[in-house]
């Protein structure tokens, strides 16, 4: 249903909204565009006012007016997905006045101006190394090199692991794309970025408008800095942070764009060109799925059909060659960031990767919620653009004690694993390009996932929790000449350590005191060393007041529900404030209107989590108003089996002195900032 709506939206965007295109009229009634990409929002009840504001706003491509809260959202790009609701939406080219008739062409058009030279580079630190940073969406450490009993084939990461240090206990600060990426790309925790959902970004005035980002730091220190794919979450910060992060200003295509390095050294010029690739929806529309279904969460593509990230991979391979040549000829180091989208849903993957997955996909051994788990800790893991957007899953509304049928669970686990194998193949192509570039021995490589993922364990799907599976990620560092190459470590690490670690390993520069992470150099130099005693994660929750019973049963289960808009700022008034089951992820809620937050502490032996009421003044959890407590034992967990950890909440029977000690550490770890 969503795909059909989007095709209509795009078709209508191709021409003016009315004859002559001279008035501002909505393109779609009762359609809400997907939230990410908001560059400005304001209170309004007028579609004309909203459309006109988009027309006048630089960079605005689409708009949506949510009549529920009475708010207009201006967006930096046209979302690929949407949902029904109390909205009016439009695309800017379809609501702007038609341009004046073109002037007759000049008989002798002037020649195009030569490309502008790049601005002068600041000096790079002596003996600086290049950096290749690869971030993968939705990747959990279910890999053979991590010792998992059941895993997809990942031969390229297996080879890479023999030359890198593998961190077995690395954690993100937030198990959701936008907050996680705003955190590790800026080097600050969510309490500083003020990003907990898809409304905000760290570049907001009063937050981090003058911060130096990770790629921005390398740019300021003499590096040629280029990025492609999903590094920042699209549109947050706006324009992928533009020239504050990248040597070449401007938005970076999701499909990848090769770098332009003209007029620096003869023979280096590479014409800028985007690498458009089919979107998932376009790929699905062009072929029939071997297994799965159009509009479903997974689709096995026929042999010969390109995968959705193919051209991103091709652009990354080409960029490695161009930047390596640039570095060899000029002595100027480079920072290249590559963000692969898969295994993010939908799992629209070529058949050969489905064929490579294990034949009999295993069901989770513990599909039930943990014993004595507080209701607020469970998350449906579904929402706009998540599993309930897809035809094969949305007929089975999940509840804490109601999971998907076994055949669908197996099919989706197989789809995810096929997507992991696809990502592994693409990563291998990029690493092979580096191996033949002539600069491999002078390049630091860091590979990581942006958050964890649940595949039916604990009756949880997707991310959006503070459980081990939601927050733990694969994490590799290859430092040329390091004694730790090919080894593994149990040292705790966090995503916010990426920024300080890369600047330290690549340049030897001191870590700025404005960063919240630490350099992992001690562990890279000695795999048995440690760099920190704890890893921290958090997640906000809101009342799901928008849920109302469906007028008719959905699928085989009665009592489905539909999500309707909340009040101003997305705030909801619960019918029963004591019912904390099926809480929402605060997806469309202003941060002043959150209801709860979970702060989680991972030590060498324990995971300790406190759920607190949210203070909308300090934008912080209130430790004096605790809602629930969780304690999980990891003393015998070697991290190789997702089914053995966090099955029993021990908080009710734990030693009070242990709880007091962990509480004191948690309070000290989450100060109000």
């Amino acid at each position: 249903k969503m795909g059909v709506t989007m095709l209509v939206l795009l078709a209508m965007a191709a021409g003016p909204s009315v004859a002559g295109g001279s008035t501002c009229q909505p393109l779609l009634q009762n359609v809400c565009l997907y939230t990410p990409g908001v560059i400005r929002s304001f209170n309004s009840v007028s579609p004309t006012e909203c459309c006109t504001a988009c027309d006048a706003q630089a960079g605005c491509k689409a708009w949506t007016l949510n009549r529920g809260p009475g708010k207009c959202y201006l967006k930096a790009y046209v979302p690929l997905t949407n949902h029904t609701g109390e909205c009016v939406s439009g695309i800017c080219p379809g609501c702007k006045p038609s341009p004046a008739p073109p002037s007759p062409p000049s008989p002798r058009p002037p020649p195009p101006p030569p490309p502008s030279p790049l601005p002068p580079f600041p000096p790079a630190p002596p003996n600086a190394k290049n950096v290749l940073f690869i971030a993968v969406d939705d990747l959990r450490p279910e890999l053979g090199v991590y010792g998992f009993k059941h895993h997809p084939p990942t031969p390229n990461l297996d080879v890479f692991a023999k030359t890198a240090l593998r961190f077995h206990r690395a954690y993100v600060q937030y198990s959701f794309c936008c907050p996680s990426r705003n955190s590790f790309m800026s080097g600050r925790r969510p309490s500083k970025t003020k990003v907990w959902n898809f409304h905000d970004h760290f570049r907001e005035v009063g937050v981090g408008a003058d911060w130096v980002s990770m790629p921005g730091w390398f740019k300021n220190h003499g590096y040629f800095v280029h990025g492609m794919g999903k590094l920042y979450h699209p549109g947050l910060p706006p324009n992928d942070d533009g020239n504050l992060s990248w040597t070449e200003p401007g938005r970076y295509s999701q499909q990848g764009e090769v770098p332009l390095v003209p007029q620096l050294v003869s023979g280096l010029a590479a014409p800028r060109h985007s690498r458009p690739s089919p979107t998932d929806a376009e790929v699905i529309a062009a072929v029939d799925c071997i297994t799965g279904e159009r509009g479903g969460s997974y689709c096995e593509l026929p042999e010969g059909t390109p995968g959705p990230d193919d051209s991103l991979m091709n652009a990354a391979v080409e960029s490695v060659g161009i930047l390596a040549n640039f570095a060899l000829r000029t002595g100027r180091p480079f920072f290249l960031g590559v963000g692969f989208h898969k295994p993010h849903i939908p799992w629209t993957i070529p058949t050969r990767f489905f064929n490579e997955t294990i034949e009999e996909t295993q069901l989770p051994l513990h599909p039930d919620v943990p014993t004595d788990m507080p209701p607020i800790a469970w998350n449906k893991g579904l929402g706009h653009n998540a599993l309930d957007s897809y035809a094969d899953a949305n007929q089975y509304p999940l509840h804490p004690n109601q999971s998907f049928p076994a055949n669908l669970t197996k099919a989706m686990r197989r789809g995810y694993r096929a997507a992991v194998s696809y990502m592994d193949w693409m990563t291998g192509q990029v690493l092979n390009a580096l191996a033949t570039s002539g600069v491999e021995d002078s390049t630091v490589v860091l590979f990581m996932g942006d958050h964890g993922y649940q595949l039916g364990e604990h009756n949880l799907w997707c991310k959006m929790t503070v459980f081990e599976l939601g927050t733990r990620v694969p994490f590799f560092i290859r430092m040329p000449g390091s004694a730790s190459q090919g080894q593994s470590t149990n040292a705790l690490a966090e995503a916010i350590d990426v920024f300080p670690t890369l600047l330290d390993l690549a340049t030897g520069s001191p870590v700025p005191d404005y960063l919240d992470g630490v350099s992992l150099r001690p562990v890279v130099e000695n795999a048995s060393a440690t760099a920190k005693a704890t890893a921290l994660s958090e997640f906000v929750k809101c009342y799901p007041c928008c849920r109302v019973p469906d007028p008719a049963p959905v699928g085989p289960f009665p009592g489905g529900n539909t999500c309707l808009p909340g009040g101003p700022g997305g705030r909801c008034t619960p019918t029963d404030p004591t019912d904390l089951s099926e809480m929402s992820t605060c997806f469309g809620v202003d941060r002043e209107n959150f209801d709860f937050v979970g702060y989680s502490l991972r030590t060498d032996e324990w995971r300790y989590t406190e759920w607190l009421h949210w203070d909308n003044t300090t934008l912080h959890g209130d430790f004096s108003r605790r809602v629930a407590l969780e304690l999980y034992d990891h003393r015998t967990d070697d991290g190789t089996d997702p089914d053995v950890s966090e099955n029993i909440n021990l908080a009710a029977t734990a030693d009070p002195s242990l709880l007091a000690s962990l509480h004191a550490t948690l309070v000290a770890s989450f100060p109000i900032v």
Side-chain angles (χ1 to χ4, degrees):
K1 297 177 182 177
M2 184 178 300
V4 172
T5 303
M6 196 61 226
L7 291 175
V8 172
L9 180 61
L10 292 175
M12 298 182 75
S17 57
V18 295
S22 59
T23 60
C24 206
Q25 296 224 350
L27 296 179
L28 286 177
Q29 295 283 352
N30 302 317
V31 170
C32 304
L33 299 184
Y34 183 43
T35 302
V38 173
I39 55 177
R40 180 188 165 205
S41 64
F42 58 91
N43 295 330
S44 177
V45 295
S46 168
T48 299
E49 180 183 24
C50 193
C51 180
T52 303
C54 182
D55 189 72
Q57 176 73 42
C60 182
K61 298 293 190 298
W63 58 272
T64 193
L65 177 72
N66 191 326
R67 291 193 180 101
K71 202 157 191 177
C72 171
Y73 299 93
L74 308 184
K75 300 172 183 294
Y77 63 95
V78 181
L80 291 177
T81 54
N82 53 72
H83 61 95
T84 58
E86 296 183 12
C87 298
V88 180
S89 301
I91 295 178
C92 203
C95 63
K96 286 184 178 179
S98 298
S103 302
S106 171
R108 289 186 177 182
S116 300
L118 291 168
F121 285 95
N127 303 314
K129 294 178 174 62
N130 309 305
V131 174
L132 174 60
F133 173 55
I134 301 176
V136 180
D137 210 341
D138 284 9
L139 184 63
R140 71 189 206 162
E142 187 183 39
L143 308 171
V145 295
Y146 276 91
F148 274 61
K149 299 175 182 177
H150 306 291
H151 59 85
T154 53
N156 294 285
L157 287 176
D158 293 347
V159 171
F160 175 61
K162 295 177 181 179
T163 63
L165 175 62
R166 181 174 69 257
F167 285 76
H168 272 251
R169 297 193 298 185
Y171 300 90
V172 297
Q173 279 47 77
Y174 208 95
S175 58
F176 221 169
C177 303
C178 182
S180 178
R181 291 167 182 270
N182 268 257
S183 177
F184 67 70
M185 292 292 281
S186 71
R188 282 85 163 178
R189 298 188 186 277
S191 58
K192 288 185 180 177
T193 66
K194 308 302 180 187
V195 180
W196 291 278
N197 57 17
F198 292 75
H199 265 198
D200 305 301
H201 56 85
F202 72 87
R203 285 293 183 206
E204 293 176 7
V205 176
V207 180
D210 59 349
W211 287 357
V212 177
S213 67
M214 177 171 66
W217 188 94
F218 283 94
K219 178 189 174 185
N220 295 344
H221 286 77
Y223 278 65
F224 188 102
V225 182
H226 188 68
M228 62 183 61
K230 189 175 181 181
L231 294 169
Y232 291 110
H233 191 83
L236 297 166
N239 206 31
D240 291 331
D241 210 32
N243 58 12
L244 293 175
S245 280
W246 314 106
T247 299
E248 297 177 339
R251 175 170 167 73
Y252 281 76
S253 165
Q254 288 291 290
Q255 284 74 42
E257 192 170 271
V258 298
L260 177 68
V261 285
Q263 301 180 358
L264 293 177
V265 175
S266 177
L268 277 183
R272 175 190 291 275
H273 59 286
S274 62
R275 310 284 259 175
S277 71
T279 65
D280 291 1
E282 290 168 334
V283 171
I284 294 173
V287 300
D288 291 324
C289 306
I290 298 175
T291 60
E293 59 181 303
R294 294 188 183 186
S297 59
Y298 68 101
C299 173
E300 184 177 352
L301 298 174
E303 191 60 45
T305 306
D309 269 359
D310 275 20
S311 65
L312 170 59
M313 173 197 69
N314 292 333
V317 168
E318 187 173 353
S319 296
V320 168
I322 291 173
L323 292 177
N325 187 24
F326 169 72
L328 289 170
R329 295 198 184 194
T330 67
R332 183 71 57 183
F334 67 81
F335 176 106
L336 175 61
V338 179
F340 286 122
H341 308 102
K342 300 305 172 189
H344 194 288
I345 52 175
W347 301 308
T348 310
I349 307 299
T351 184
R352 68 183 184 276
F353 300 105
F354 277 86
N355 294 335
E356 291 174 0
T357 58
I358 53 179
E359 293 184 2
E360 182 60 29
T361 303
Q362 304 293 316
L363 288 170
L365 296 180
H366 292 279
D368 299 325
V369 299
T371 301
D372 294 329
M373 178 202 76
I376 195 173
W378 189 82
N379 185 62
K380 190 174 182 181
L382 309 176
H384 306 318
N385 203 34
L387 289 179
D388 67 353
S389 301
Y390 297 97
D392 51 17
N394 65 10
Q395 59 181 315
Y396 304 104
L398 286 178
H399 301 289
N401 298 310
Q402 179 176 285
S403 59
F404 289 138
N407 63 331
L408 181 58
T409 295
K410 282 190 174 184
M412 292 199 297
R413 285 165 72 94
R414 182 169 176 254
Y416 176 86
R417 287 170 172 168
V420 172
S421 290
Y422 172 55
M423 175 280 306
D424 173 80
W425 170 71
M426 293 187 294
T427 299
Q429 302 304 303
V430 177
L431 293 175
N432 288 340
L434 180 64
T436 59
S437 68
V439 299
E440 182 180 40
D441 292 339
S442 58
T443 302
V444 179
V445 181
L446 194 150
F447 174 99
M448 64 174 289
D450 72 337
H451 46 65
Y453 210 80
Q454 285 111 180
L455 291 171
E457 300 91 357
H458 301 151
N459 197 22
L460 290 165
W461 286 88
C462 299
K463 45 265 188 176
M464 314 172 206
T465 74
V466 290
F467 286 114
E468 188 82 355
L469 286 174
T471 57
R472 183 181 168 215
V473 295
F475 195 94
F476 300 83
I477 297 176
R478 183 167 72 191
M479 173 68 174
S482 169
S484 64
Q485 289 186 354
Q487 297 183 26
S488 64
T489 178
N490 284 323
L492 291 170
E494 298 180 277
I496 55 164
D497 300 329
V498 170
F499 186 167
T501 298
L502 285 178
L503 73 85
D504 184 9
L505 294 180
T507 71
S509 300
V511 176
D513 58 10
Y514 55 73
L515 297 181
D516 288 336
V518 301
S519 172
L520 299 174
R521 176 186 283 273
V523 186
V524 173
E525 294 178 343
N526 179 2
S528 62
T530 60
K532 55 178 47 183
T534 62
L536 308 176
S537 303
E538 59 190 276
F539 205 90
V540 297
K541 292 291 185 78
C542 291
Y543 283 114
C545 73
C546 56
R547 301 203 174 276
V548 297
D550 284 330
V554 178
F557 300 121
N561 51 58
T562 299
C563 194
L564 299 177
R571 188 167 184 83
C572 300
T573 302
T575 55
D576 181 5
T578 65
D579 182 6
L580 303 184
S581 63
E582 296 193 65
M583 300 292 287
S584 82
T585 60
C586 306
F587 187 90
V589 180
D590 292 344
R591 58 195 177 207
E592 294 82 6
N593 293 330
F594 299 157
D595 292 303
F596 304 97
V597 63
Y599 291 142
S600 192
L601 175 76
R602 180 63 159 90
T603 71
D604 186 54
E605 298 182 334
W606 305 96
R607 174 169 296 282
Y608 176 82
T609 302
E610 292 191 22
W611 291 96
L612 312 170
H613 281 275
W614 181 258
D615 187 321
N616 58 18
T617 301
T618 61
L619 301 181
H620 194 273
D622 185 346
F623 280 103
S624 69
R625 301 170 64 208
R626 190 167 70 193
V627 176
L629 185 65
E630 296 178 89
L631 179 68
Y632 299 100
D633 189 349
H634 283 273
R635 288 175 293 181
T636 60
D637 176 18
D638 64 1
T640 63
D641 190 340
D643 289 306
V644 302
S645 69
E646 301 188 348
N647 291 311
I648 303 175
N649 178 16
L650 302 173
T653 58
D655 183 340
S657 63
L658 172 64
L659 295 178
S661 174
L662 292 171
H663 169 75
T665 302
L666 189 76
V667 172
S669 301
F670 284 94
I672 298 175
V673 293

